[in-house]
Amino acid sequence: MFKGNTLSSLTYSIRGFDHCELYVGNAKQTAHYYRTTMGFQPIAYRGLETGSRDRVSYVLNQDHINLVITSPLEKNTDIGAHIDRHGDGIKDVAFTVDDSESAWKTSLERGAKSAMEPREIKDDNGEAVVSAIETFGDTIHSFIERKNYNGSFLPGFEKDDLELESVSTGLVHIDHVVGNQPDGEMQSVCNFYEKIFGWHRFWSVDDKDINTEYSALRSIVMANDNEIIKMPINEPADGLKKSQIQEFIDYYETGGVQHLALSTRDIIPTVRMMRANGVDFLPTPRSYYEKLTKRIGPIQEDIETLAELGILVDVDENGYMLQIFTKPLQDRPTLFFEIIQRKGSNSFGKGNFKALFESIEREQEKRGNL
Ligand code: FE2
């Protein structure tokens, strides 16, 4: 359907994930958590000291991953309202683009709603153009265009001078960003990505594939042309008890980002460090590893080490992948992270869903939400 030139120009102008911005109640302490437990390095800051009167933001970096952690500095702000409604969560999944104004204009022509008109921002380090559109729930996609910009993040931010040296845990880039939707809204959100960005359906599962005793979901992975950007879109499906997706919606109130999957080149030391630093991961039962070799065939990693760390493995026709999921990263059972290492496989761990969902359900049960 959308094979015209205009579409291609927008499709190719999105280069990848630029950053994710979280709105949280206490940015200083949240930034400290991601720095000390996951090894993110503070690189830029805005706040009262830099002339930002209404909000404070810490920019954290690890290799190609940038997180912006933002809190309001006054009452009655949009940020405060977002936190009140959703709890701490991801407001913005921002993309790096060649031309922010044309990405924004083309998106609006195709039916997207503006979240911010294009504006040029400048400081001594150069200039950038930023704009944004709305997507599911209260989430937005910013289009970030940096023109000859040499600063640490964007105009308006100052280089972080805390001189805190973080120890990297080996995280490299954002593999995928997952959006949970209320029941019945998955297809319309996927249609939005097809229509606005010209993305395609990369992979999907229905409730027959992902159905434990209680929890079921449907998922479609949307991807851009070169498949650098992948966004799985989930919705709950009926099961005996409450779907984990429904639990998210109950606490987030609207569609929102459920998890960020961050890649590593070597998952064993990454997870070992994160565990030692205090990250809580979902536990995997011993029985999972007893059947593992039979299910996936030979792999390079020592199964005993994977069992000790709780790392899951799945295989497809192209290779295998290793993955593990954190518990929720804030008090509401909403956002969590996945750590993933791909060894050929491009899949999303369908073979792990049963073990994973049973683990999630044990946590849901503890929270009284199953
Ligand atoms: Fe994932």
Side-chain angles (χ1 to χ4, degrees), residues 54-55 71-84:
D54 68 334
R55 68 190 62 196
S71 284
L73 290 169
E74 347 173 291
K75 63 183 177 182
N76 300 331
T77 62
D78 290 348
I79 306 168
H82 195 277
I83 297 165
D84 186 46

Side-chain angles (χ1 to χ4, degrees), residues 31-260:
H32 187 269
Y33 173 86
Y34 288 114
R35 184 175 75 76
T36 54
T37 66
M38 299 194 191
F40 283 92
Q41 177 68 44
I43 56 162
Y45 170 83
R46 74 176 165 198
L48 295 175
E49 299 82 353
T50 71
S52 172
R53 304 304 298 175
D54 68 334
R55 68 190 62 196
V56 58
S57 299
Y58 298 80
V59 183
L60 304 176
N61 166 267
Q62 189 163 177
D63 211 328
H64 296 291
I65 310 164
N66 293 302
L67 301 178
V68 180
I69 315 287
T70 296
S71 284
L73 290 169
E74 347 173 291
K75 63 183 177 182
N76 300 331
T77 62
D78 290 348
I79 306 168
H82 195 277
I83 297 165
D84 186 46
R85 183 171 192 196
H86 305 290
D88 289 2
I90 292 186
K91 171 66 181 179
D92 186 3
V93 178
F95 300 123
T96 312
V97 299
D98 295 327
D99 185 334
S100 183
E101 186 170 350
S102 96
W104 178 85
K105 267 191 184 155
T106 313
S107 299
L108 262 57
E109 282 162 18
R110 292 177 186 169
K113 277 191 199 153
S114 175
M116 180 175 59
E117 289 189 11
R119 67 195 175 95
E120 195 172 72
I121 45 178
K122 286 181 187 177
D123 66 13
D124 296 343
N125 294 305
E127 58 192 76
V129 183
V130 292
S131 60
I133 60 164
E134 294 181 3
T135 181
F136 47 81
D138 286 331
T139 316
I140 63 169
H141 289 304
S142 285
F143 300 125
I144 310 291
E145 171 194 348
R146 291 181 185 80
K147 292 175 173 171
N148 307 316
Y149 188 70
N150 301 314
S152 47
F153 181 60
L154 278 172
F157 287 79
E158 289 189 7
K159 192 172 179 312
D160 194 286
D161 60 0
L162 295 175
E163 289 178 11
L164 294 166
E165 269 304 315
S166 302
V167 182
S168 166
T169 57
L171 300 175
V172 180
H173 65 77
I174 298 177
D175 185 274
H176 57 275
V177 176
V178 181
N180 277 356
Q181 311 306 327
D183 196 7
E185 293 183 22
M186 171 183 72
Q187 289 293 350
S188 60
V189 171
C190 295
N191 294 344
F192 170 91
Y193 285 109
E194 277 177 340
K195 185 177 154 197
I196 306 299
F197 294 151
W199 291 359
H200 60 277
R201 291 165 195 241
F202 177 78
W203 193 79
S204 74
V205 278
D206 65 23
D207 39 332
K208 287 171 211 67
D209 298 313
I210 311 185
N211 195 344
T212 62
E213 192 183 349
Y214 298 137
S215 183
L217 65 76
R218 288 179 284 269
S219 183
I220 297 174
V221 179
M222 300 306 295
N224 72 331
D225 268 18
N226 62 12
E227 295 171 352
I228 281 180
I229 299 171
K230 290 195 263 323
M231 291 192 61
I233 304 297
N234 297 336
E235 69 179 4
D238 286 336
L240 283 178
K241 290 194 179 177
K242 187 181 283 185
S243 165
Q244 52 161 310
I245 311 305
Q246 190 56 48
E247 188 197 31
F248 175 99
I249 297 296
D250 289 348
Y251 283 85
Y252 206 76
E253 279 220 351
T254 63
V257 175
Q258 177 210 38
H259 74 266
L260 293 189

